[in-house]
Amino acid sequence: MNSTSVPGQPADSGEVAPAFLVIRGIVGLLQFVCVALVFAPGLVSLATRQFGFEASLHEAWVRAAGVAGVLLTAVARVVLPGGGKTARVRTLTKLAAATGGTYRLEKRRIDQSGITGGPTIEWTVQGYPMTLTSASRSGQQAVTRIHVEIPCDKELSFNVLPNNFLTRTLTSPKFIQAVQSNIQRGEGDASETDRASAAKEIGLLAGADVPLSHPLLDGRLIAKSNDADLARDILTGGGVAERMYDLCEKRKSWTLSLYSAEQSGVSRLSLELQGSEAKPEVLVAGKALVEALLGNLIRNDVVETGSEERARMAAR
């Protein structure tokens, strides 16, 4: 089995009694003391002298006791309630139950996005599966991703980033040209088609800004697209602008993109939050933004006609 899933209400909400959290804290402190005994056994003799005991303990015995203590406390931290769940896992199980999603624990795997898997939520939105998961690339910070894959009739791609000094530098034409050159002559297993596709998508970042012309968004975001007029309609209509503003108020660092995966024949609408996001209000705001964008893509005939019904049938 690659995953364990529970539709709607998760079997374990992740709640841990406060008393167990206190006990886990005490065990953690004892574990720290045991580690100190392993690396600095002489501390025991110094401590006993403070209480008037002059007898010195053999350092080998102290180290052995420290190793045994580390192992026992490690087992205790796993066995005690709360040991198998992080705050983020508890947040996701509650979020899935509250929003009608399906929580599952995906097996870790490596794909084009990097290392993906772990705690995951999936919803069905207008017939399409929308997924919240995590991904990490070599040497880079992990990201929390909410994405949906859709077949498109129109060739539309866009990127939305926060407007700051770093993003303005990264989207400058000279920087993008250098990145494209490195991709096209880079080493590795990527095919020429993959490299050309990646260079094309990155090239969007060097294009002209899409003027969003919305009072809530002007000056806060940088938007780039291969079709500025259509992208502006998608990114500002149908409540999308308000949801982007709401997410900006809750979180500063995020990126939004729509790009085509030419080999699979579909496009991916993706919101990425830097780090392993565990704040439910941020995740709810991100989910609402992706939902609103999907609705706008359908209303503006970007999504392939009839694909919604096919997606619903496939999900049954």
Side-chain angles (χ1 to χ4, degrees), residues 10 29 33 39-41 56 82 131 137 201-202 236 261 266 271 283 297:
L29 181 61
V33 171
F39 290 99
S56 60
T131 304
R137 301 179 183 90
E201 297 297 337
I202 290 174
T236 57
V266 299
L271 171 69
L283 297 176
L297 289 168

Side-chain angles (χ1 to χ4, degrees), residues 78-118:
V78 171
V79 172
L80 284 171
K85 285 186 175 286
T86 64
R88 185 169 186 272
V89 171
R90 292 194 292 272
T91 296
L92 294 187
T93 54
K94 291 180 180 179
L95 180 62
T99 58
T102 299
Y103 171 84
R104 64 176 182 267
L105 189 62
E106 285 280 357
K107 184 179 180 180
R108 296 287 182 181
R109 60 188 182 277
I110 300 177
D111 57 23
Q112 292 180 345
S113 301
I115 301 175
T116 60

Side-chain angles (χ1 to χ4, degrees), residues 75-305:
V75 171
R77 286 172 64 84
V78 171
V79 172
L80 284 171
K85 285 186 175 286
T86 64
R88 185 169 186 272
V89 171
R90 292 194 292 272
T91 296
L92 294 187
T93 54
K94 291 180 180 179
L95 180 62
T99 58
T102 299
Y103 171 84
R104 64 176 182 267
L105 189 62
E106 285 280 357
K107 184 179 180 180
R108 296 287 182 181
R109 60 188 182 277
I110 300 177
D111 57 23
Q112 292 180 345
S113 301
I115 301 175
T116 60
T120 301
I121 300 177
E122 184 172 293
W123 301 272
T124 299
V125 180
Q126 302 200 43
Y128 297 98
M130 182 171 71
T131 304
L132 184 156
T133 188
S134 296
S136 59
R137 301 179 183 90
S138 177
Q140 297 183 22
Q141 184 183 21
V143 297
T144 299
R145 179 183 297 141
I146 303 175
H147 70 271
V148 58
E149 293 188 348
I150 47 178
C152 291
D153 269 340
K154 298 179 180 178
E155 187 178 348
L156 175 67
S157 297
F158 60 71
N159 286 279
V160 181
L161 308 94
N163 185 3
N164 54 46
F165 175 77
L166 177 60
T167 55
R168 288 194 297 272
T169 301
L170 295 177
T171 57
S172 65
K174 288 185 178 180
F175 183 84
I176 296 299
Q177 186 177 7
V179 173
Q180 287 178 309
S181 298
N182 287 334
I183 290 176
Q184 291 171 339
R185 66 168 182 265
E187 298 179 356
D189 297 330
S191 66
E192 291 298 326
T193 302
D194 290 337
R195 287 184 182 138
S197 177
K200 177 182 175 183
E201 297 297 337
I202 290 174
L204 284 174
L205 295 175
D209 290 347
V210 177
L212 298 177
S213 303
H214 195 286
L216 292 176
L217 303 178
D218 284 347
R220 303 190 69 155
L221 300 169
I222 295 175
K224 308 276 189 175
S225 177
N226 64 333
D227 189 331
D229 292 335
L230 180 56
R232 182 171 58 250
D233 292 340
I234 298 295
L235 294 171
T236 57
V240 172
E242 288 78 8
R243 284 167 176 77
M244 283 200 288
Y245 174 80
D246 183 46
L247 184 58
C248 284
E249 290 293 293
K250 293 178 170 61
R251 204 178 201 277
K252 300 299 182 185
S253 178
W254 56 269
T255 59
L256 181 67
S257 63
L258 174 69
Y259 58 92
S260 61
E262 296 180 359
Q263 291 181 339
S264 61
V266 299
S267 293
R268 170 175 283 197
L269 174 63
S270 179
L271 171 69
E272 291 193 352
L273 309 165
Q274 294 299 315
S276 297
E277 182 57 65
K279 294 181 179 178
E281 64 273 16
V282 174
L283 297 176
V284 169
K287 173 180 178 288
L289 172 56
V290 176
E291 284 182 344
L293 273 165
L294 177 58
N296 260 5
L297 289 168
I298 293 173
R299 282 189 292 273
N300 284 270
D301 299 323
V302 175
V303 177
E304 182 181 311
T305 305

